[in-house]
Amino acid sequence: DLRYASPDVQMSIMEAKWGLIPDMAISATLRHLVPPDRVKELAFSAEVFGAEEGLRLGTITRIEDDPLAAARRMAAAIAAKSPDAMRGIKRLVNEAWYRPEHEGLQLEAQIQIELLRSPNQGEAVRAALEKRPAKFAD
């Protein structure tokens, strides 16, 4: 879902150097991140690229001096929120982005209605109003 990398990271689609095609699920993982012409260029050339280019391409989400610490901070922030909302966000983005607009809006409304009826959404509101950490059920 999120990809953090250090400023000195080096990445490559290097299989062509060894007479192979890109594998390790690249056809599934990069298809919605990097335009096909750039994937071809990187795969044909086996060019090594760094963090700034990875950020421009969309292969990484953010450049961090300590990627593991950044990932842990994000994980803690996610864990502190309603698990229903987090699943809903992931579902909305994963499913709606590549559907026709009317289907995406329909999915958005469906997920929101489900959340509005959930105990965890009520707990999120109460916790925010009472200025306390929420206690979500999962």
Side-chain angles (χ1 to χ4, degrees):
D1 292 319
L2 304 171
R3 299 164 309 279
Y4 299 137
S6 65
D8 59 348
V9 71
Q10 292 193 356
M11 296 174 274
S12 179
I13 303 173
M14 190 168 281
E15 288 83 355
K17 178 178 178 178
W18 309 107
L20 299 169
I21 64 165
D23 59 358
M24 303 299 289
I26 198 167
S27 61
T29 57
L30 283 187
R31 80 169 56 178
H32 300 298
L33 300 176
V34 181
D37 62 321
R38 286 296 283 139
V39 173
K40 290 175 194 173
E41 182 179 53
L42 291 167
F44 292 157
S45 69
E47 167 192 343
V48 175
F49 58 96
E52 290 295 332
E53 181 66 7
L55 192 59
R56 276 191 295 281
L57 285 169
T59 59
I60 62 174
T61 305
R62 181 182 310 278
I63 300 170
E64 292 282 348
D65 288 330
D66 187 344
L68 182 57
R72 286 181 173 151
R73 281 191 306 274
M74 179 56 74
I78 291 167
K81 294 184 176 56
S82 166
D84 300 334
M86 298 300 97
R87 280 190 290 272
I89 291 167
K90 185 170 177 169
R91 180 177 173 210
L92 178 65
V93 174
N94 286 351
E95 294 180 25
W97 253 236
Y98 305 101
R99 289 184 179 185
E101 189 174 292
H102 73 279
E103 289 181 20
L105 291 169
Q106 188 174 29
L107 178 64
E108 182 180 307
Q110 174 194 338
I111 294 170
Q112 195 73 298
I113 288 167
E114 291 169 7
L115 290 172
L116 286 168
R117 296 177 180 160
S118 73
N120 280 335
Q121 197 274 326
E123 171 59 12
V125 171
R126 283 188 302 280
L129 291 173
E130 295 169 7
K131 297 180 179 7
R132 63 170 173 79
K135 296 177 184 158
F136 297 112
D138 192 14

